[in-house]
Amino acid sequence: MATTGDPADAPERGAGAAGAAATGGSGRLGPPSWLAAVFLLPALVFLGAYMVYPIVFSVYRSLWDADGLVFVGLGNYAAMFASESTFIALRNNVVWLVVAPTLVTVVGLLFAVLTERIRWSTAFKIVVFMPMAISFLASGVIFRLVYEQDPDRGMANAVITSVRDTVAPAASYPDARPRPESPLAEADGGGLALGEPASAGDTVLLPLVGVPNDTLPDGTEKAAEPEAKDGAVTGTVWLDFTRGGGGTEGDLDGAETGLPAMEVQAVRDGEVAATTTTRADGTFTLDGVGGGAYEIRLSARNFTEPYNGVTWLGPALITPSIIGAYLWVWAGFAMVLIAAGLAAIPREALEAARVDGGTEWQVFRRVTVPLLSPVLLVVFVTLMIYVLKIFDLVFIIAPGSVQSDANVLALEMWRVSFGGANDQGLGSALAVFLLLLVIPAMIFQIRRFRQENS
Amino acid sequence: MSGDGVPEAAGQGTAPGTAPAPGAGGAGVGEGAPRRSVGSRIVGRLGSGAVQVVLVLLALFWLVPTLGLFIASLRSPQDNAAAGWWTALASPSQITLENYANLLDNEAFTGSFWNTILITVPATVIIVVIAALAAYAFAWLEFPGRDWLFLGVVGLLVVPLQVALVPIAQIYGALGIFGNIVSVVLFHVGFGLPFAIFLLRNFFAAIPRDLLEAARMDGGKEFTIFRRVILPLGGPAIASLAIFQFLWVWNDLLVALVFADQTSQPMTRALQSEMRQFGANIDVISAGAFLSMIVPLIVFFAFQRYFVQGVMAGAVK
C-alpha cells in the first residue's frame, strides 16, 4: 500500500509533471508518437462511434420528421414546446433542477457536519451511502412500497395516520345516519341538524343508527342521559339501536352506546356560536350560548371518510415524492464529498474566527461555508447533471396513470422514440435539447480541469 | 484532483498524510482531541445525546425502507395485500421463502439473471482494458494534440446517453445486431469510456516519473512497461474503476430497455415489465428486486472503499 499510496496522494503534482512533459524537451527518451496511436486506437474507435457520431447524427436527425423522410427544419423543436406532454416534462425538469440538487446538497452538508465528531460516523456514512450501490429500479420498488396509499400497507401513510391519530384522535362515522322519523335531518351546509331549535338550559337527544359495532372507537361507554345546565345546551349523541331488539326508537334505553368525539355545534343565522365534542358516553355541553334559540348541528366533519394519509403517488404530489426517493439515494454521495471537504478546512481559520468573537453560527456562515464552497459547487453541479438525466426513478415510481404528470425530459425522450410513439425526429430533438442543457456543466468541468492542471 | 484523497472520508481513514488537515484522521476519536470543529460545537451546544438520537433516527430512515422490501419479499402475496410488512414482525409465521422458490423456478427470471452477468462482466473487463491503454497514452506518451484530445474526453464525461439511443439503434438495426447481448455490452463500453479514461489517466499521471524513466532506460518496451510497472501500481485505481463500472452496468435499466430483447434482457428490465401490475405482481417484484440488489450489496460491503473512491471520482472535477 505504501508504494501505491503515494501516487494517489499527490495526483496534482503528478498531473503537473505530465503537463510539463508535454511541453518540455525531455521527450528524447520517450517512444515514438505512433505508438500512442496504438494505445489510443480502441478507445478512440468507441468514443467516435458511440459519442461523437451520435451527437452529430442526432442534431441532423432532429431536423427530419418521424420517419426521417421529410426535412422539417426546426419543426421538431417547435413541436417540443407546443406539445403538452413535453411541456409538462420540461416544467417538471425545472422543478427537479431547482429543488433536488439544493435539497441533496443541504442535507449532505447537514449530515457531514452532524457526523463530524460522532464515534460511529463510519457506520452512519455506510448506511446512508448504501443506496448508491443499488439500482434505481430497486430504489424505485422500495419507494413504491413506502408510498402505497392504503395506510395498512404503505409505510409513509401508516406513520402519518398513526401520528395524527395519537395527536388528535378523530372519530368518524361515515355510515351514521338518522332514522327516517328522527328529529335529525340533513343540514344546509352538510352534516345533520335538529328540526327544533334549542336554547340555553334545554337538553336535546340526537339519535343515530348505521354505525357498525366494530367501528366504534375504543373506550366508548353506555349512553348517558343529558343533565340540564344553566346557560348551556346539553345533550347526548348515541347509537339508537339495542342489540337483540327491544328498546324504543329515539329514547335512551340504558343499554345503548354513546357516540364519542362527535363535533356538535350551536348555530344561529348561519354563524356557529359554540362548538364542542361528545364525551365517551355521548354527552356534550355547549357552553357560552346566549339567549335565544339555536340550531343544534352535528357537523359534516363527523361523517367524512376517515383520514387516509397523503396521496403520494397522485398527480399533485408525484414529483415531490420521487424527489424524496432521489434524496434517499443521493444524500450519501453529497455527505461523503462534503465531509472530505470539511476535514480539509484548516482549523486555524476556524479558531481565528472564534477568537475574534464570532458566534458558532457566524463561524459556520462566514468561514466554514465559504471555505467549503468549491466542494459544495462540485456536489451541486454533479447533482444537476444527474438530475437533468433522471429517468429510472420516475419511470419506476410513477404508476402508469400518473406517469404523464411525473414526466421528465429523459423519460419523454424514451417514450417518444421507443416507448410507443416512435417519433425519432422528435426524440432526437429532445436528446439534443438535453445535451444543450448539460453544456454549461461541460464548460464548467473543462475549465476546472484546466485550472487544476495548469 | 483531490478525488483520490476522498475515500479517507468514507470512514476508512488509513493512509496518513493524505488530507491536508491532520485532524481528518481523527474523525472517529472521541472527546479531548484538540480540534474544535463546527460539529463539535453543535454537539456541545445541543448535547451529544440529542445529536446521536437524531442520527439514529436518520439511520433508521435510511435502513427501514430497504428492510421493508426484504420482509415484503418474504411474505405471500395475500399477506402483502392484506397488511403492511411490519405486521410480519409481530407474526413471524407469515415468513416464507415461497416467492424466492417460485422466482428461481421461473426460467424467464433465471435467464435474465444470467443475462445480467453476461452483460456486466464483459462490459467491465473491456472498459478497464481499453481505458487503461488509453489512459497510459494520455499520461505517459507524447503525441501532437494530446492535451486537446484529453480535454475532449473530459467534455464527453457529461454527455447524456439519450443522445446516442436513436443513432446507435439505427446502426444496430443496419448491422442486424439490435437486441442481442453484444449490442448492449458495446453500448456500455462506449459510454463508460470517458469516465474510465479520466479516472485512470489522473491516477497514472501521478506515478513518479523516475520509475518510468528508469524502466525506459533499462530498454523496456512500452507495452512491457505498461504491463509490469503501470498496471501493478495502478491496482487501486483499476479496482475502483472496475467496481464502479460493474455496479453501473449491473444496475442499468435504460440501455437494456432500448437495446435488449426478450431473450437477452437483464434482471432490471425483466422486473420493470412486471411493474405495470405492481400490486398483483408484488411477490415477483419484491423478491426479484431484492435478488437484483444482493450482488451490488455484497460488492459494496466488500469493496466499500474502492466503490466510494470510484463514485467520488465521478464528481465533476
Side-chain angles (χ1 to χ4, degrees):
Chain A
M1 281 312 281
T3 35
T4 56
D6 285 342
D9 295 344
E12 280 168 52
R13 206 161 7 103
T23 47
S26 61
R28 278 168 288 116
L29 280 170
S33 58
W34 61 262
L35 194 66
V38 178
F39 276 79
L40 280 175
L41 190 67
L44 292 184
V45 167
F46 269 100
L47 291 181
Y50 282 89
M51 302 193 90
V52 179
Y53 161 76
I55 291 172
V56 176
F57 184 82
S58 282
V59 172
Y60 168 80
R61 184 67 183 81
S62 71
L63 305 176
W64 295 74
D65 73 344
D67 301 319
L69 301 173
V70 181
F71 182 80
V72 293
L74 295 176
N76 285 323
Y77 293 90
M80 211 167 85
F81 290 96
S83 131
E84 202 195 325
S85 71
T86 338
F87 184 76
I88 293 175
L90 256 171
R91 190 202 62 195
N92 285 340
N93 252 66
V94 171
V95 172
W96 270 93
L97 263 182
V98 171
V99 177
T102 314
L103 183 69
V104 175
T105 310
V106 168
V107 169
L109 178 62
L110 193 71
F111 284 9
V113 169
L114 284 182
T115 53
E116 214 192 352
R117 297 277 291 174
I118 297 293
R119 231 174 261 267
W120 49 285
S121 65
T122 304
F124 182 82
K125 284 173 178 166
I126 290 178
V127 165
V128 176
F129 200 82
M130 185 274 297
M132 286 293 290
I134 64 175
S135 61
F136 284 123
L137 175 112
S139 306
V141 171
I142 286 171
F143 275 86
R144 266 295 271 276
L145 283 170
V146 168
Y147 287 142
E148 289 250 358
Q149 172 68 63
D150 184 347
D152 285 339
R153 283 183 291 156
M155 196 170 64
N157 279 343
V159 171
I160 286 178
T161 52
S162 57
V163 167
R164 194 185 148 111
D165 287 353
T166 319
V167 176
S172 99
Y173 305 94
D175 301 322
R177 59 180 192 277
R179 290 186 194 276
E181 62 280 14
S182 148
L184 281 165
E186 250 355 276
D188 288 342
L192 298 170
L194 271 183
E196 299 267 313
S199 36
D202 287 349
T203 61
V204 292
L205 293 176
L206 304 154
L208 290 170
V209 292
V211 182
N213 253 324
D214 56 354
T215 64
L216 286 170
D218 293 338
T220 302
E221 294 173 12
K222 294 266 175 282
E225 286 282 353
E227 289 174 20
K229 186 183 166 197
D230 282 345
V233 178
T234 54
T236 303
V237 186
W238 85 102
L239 180 56
D240 186 20
F241 175 78
T242 308
R243 272 201 174 191
T248 317
E249 286 177 15
D251 280 353
L252 284 157
D253 298 316
E256 295 167 347
T257 45
L259 294 173
M262 274 273 187
E263 189 176 73
V264 191
Q265 296 171 329
V267 182
R268 178 154 47 180
D269 304 331
E271 299 273 327
V272 176
T275 303
T276 188
T277 48
T278 56
R279 293 177 274 269
D281 57 5
T283 59
F284 65 89
T285 308
L286 278 164
D287 282 315
V289 290
Y294 292 88
E295 184 185 52
I296 304 302
R297 186 188 282 184
L298 293 169
S299 67
R301 201 189 65 111
N302 299 314
F303 308 106
T304 53
E305 289 291 327
Y307 180 65
N308 226 359
V310 177
T311 313
W312 300 101
L313 301 178
L317 280 182
I318 185 68
T319 298
S321 298
I322 303 173
I323 291 178
Y326 185 86
L327 172 70
W328 184 81
V329 175
W330 282 90
F333 168 82
M335 172 187 68
V336 171
L337 262 185
I338 294 170
L342 214 51
I345 290 181
R347 66 169 180 274
E348 293 80 13
L350 300 176
E351 286 307 329
R354 287 192 188 113
V355 169
D356 289 349
T359 67
E360 213 42 55
W361 175 242
Q362 282 172 333
V363 173
F364 181 72
R365 275 279 316 277
R366 307 263 165 79
V367 184
T368 311
V369 170
L371 283 174
L372 269 183
S373 58
V375 176
L376 295 178
L377 189 65
V378 164
V379 171
F380 190 79
V381 173
T382 308
L383 287 167
M384 281 180 84
I385 296 171
Y386 282 101
V387 161
L388 269 176
K389 301 186 261 188
I390 184 90
F391 168 82
D392 313 41
L393 268 189
V394 178
F395 191 45
I396 297 299
I397 295 181
S401 55
V402 293
Q403 213 151 68
S404 57
D405 299 288
N407 210 355
V408 285
L409 286 175
L411 178 56
E412 176 72 1
M413 188 270 153
W414 175 80
R415 210 183 58 75
V416 164
S417 320
F418 303 97
N422 248 334
D423 184 346
Q424 305 206 330
L426 181 57
S428 297
L430 280 162
V432 171
F433 186 66
L434 265 182
L435 180 64
L436 290 177
L437 290 178
V438 298
I439 280 185
M442 191 185 281
I443 293 168
F444 171 86
Q445 179 163 17
I446 291 179
R447 286 184 54 178
R448 259 186 84 87
F449 180 78
R450 293 190 66 169
Q451 271 169 16
E452 286 183 7
N453 286 277
S454 59
Chain B
M1 298 304 104
S2 58
D4 298 17
V6 165
E8 182 91 348
Q12 298 276 314
T14 47
T18 307
V29 185
E31 309 305 309
R35 181 165 178 158
R36 298 174 74 199
S37 60
V38 185
S40 73
R41 291 296 190 91
I42 293 176
V43 168
R45 189 76 40 102
L46 300 178
S48 161
V51 173
Q52 304 243 11
V53 169
V54 169
L55 287 177
V56 168
L57 288 178
L58 287 170
L60 281 179
F61 189 79
W62 253 259
L63 277 179
V64 170
T66 316
L67 180 72
L69 172 71
F70 179 57
I71 295 182
S73 74
L74 293 172
R75 300 169 76 216
S76 70
Q78 293 75 22
D79 283 339
N80 275 323
W85 56 266
W86 52 89
T87 57
L89 299 176
S91 58
S93 59
Q94 294 180 3
I95 301 296
T96 164
L97 286 173
E98 208 172 320
N99 295 340
Y100 287 95
N102 290 341
L103 207 58
L104 295 178
D105 277 343
N106 177 343
E107 273 175 33
F109 183 81
T110 50
S112 73
F113 181 84
W114 289 117
N115 286 336
T116 296
I117 292 176
L118 286 176
I119 291 169
T120 308
V121 173
T124 307
V125 172
I126 297 173
I127 287 173
V128 169
V129 170
I130 295 181
L133 287 170
Y136 179 70
F138 279 123
W140 291 110
L141 300 179
E142 274 155 44
F143 53 91
R146 179 178 75 168
D147 293 354
W148 287 108
L149 203 54
F150 191 68
L151 278 187
V153 173
V154 174
L156 290 180
L157 270 174
V158 295
V159 169
L161 66 77
Q162 277 78 12
V163 172
L165 296 179
V166 168
I168 298 297
Q170 288 208 348
I171 295 185
Y172 282 174
L175 294 176
I177 59 168
F178 191 94
N180 69 27
I181 283 184
V182 175
S183 72
V184 182
V185 169
L186 293 181
F187 192 94
H188 281 301
V189 172
F191 264 83
L193 272 179
F195 169 68
I197 296 173
F198 179 74
L199 188 152
L200 290 183
R201 182 282 185 185
N202 289 337
F203 193 90
F204 290 172
I207 290 173
R209 187 163 188 80
D210 311 349
L211 266 171
L212 265 111
E213 297 295 352
R216 282 182 183 159
M217 295 269 236
D218 290 348
K221 286 233 167 51
E222 221 39 52
F223 193 74
T224 320
I225 296 174
F226 173 72
R227 248 187 44 219
R228 295 273 166 79
V229 181
I230 300 290
L231 286 190
L233 286 182
I238 291 176
S240 287
L241 170 64
I243 286 160
F244 179 83
Q245 206 58 53
F246 180 89
L247 291 182
W248 184 264
V249 178
W250 185 282
N251 288 335
D252 161 76
L253 171 63
L254 179 56
V255 175
L257 207 54
V258 173
F259 295 112
D261 62 18
Q262 288 288 321
T263 56
S264 64
Q265 63 177 3
M267 261 184 298
T268 45
R269 189 180 160 179
L271 288 172
Q272 186 276 323
S273 61
E274 306 282 344
M275 291 296 290
R276 239 160 288 185
Q277 304 282 327
F278 186 78
N281 294 337
I282 185 69
D283 50 337
V284 180
I285 292 170
S286 59
F290 202 80
L291 275 183
S292 82
M293 279 166 58
I294 284 179
V295 170
L297 286 179
I298 292 173
V299 170
F300 172 65
F301 285 112
F303 306 103
Q304 185 231 125
R305 186 195 156 108
Y306 294 115
F307 175 61
V308 174
Q309 199 167 1
V311 172
M312 293 305 128
V316 171
K317 289 269 151 174

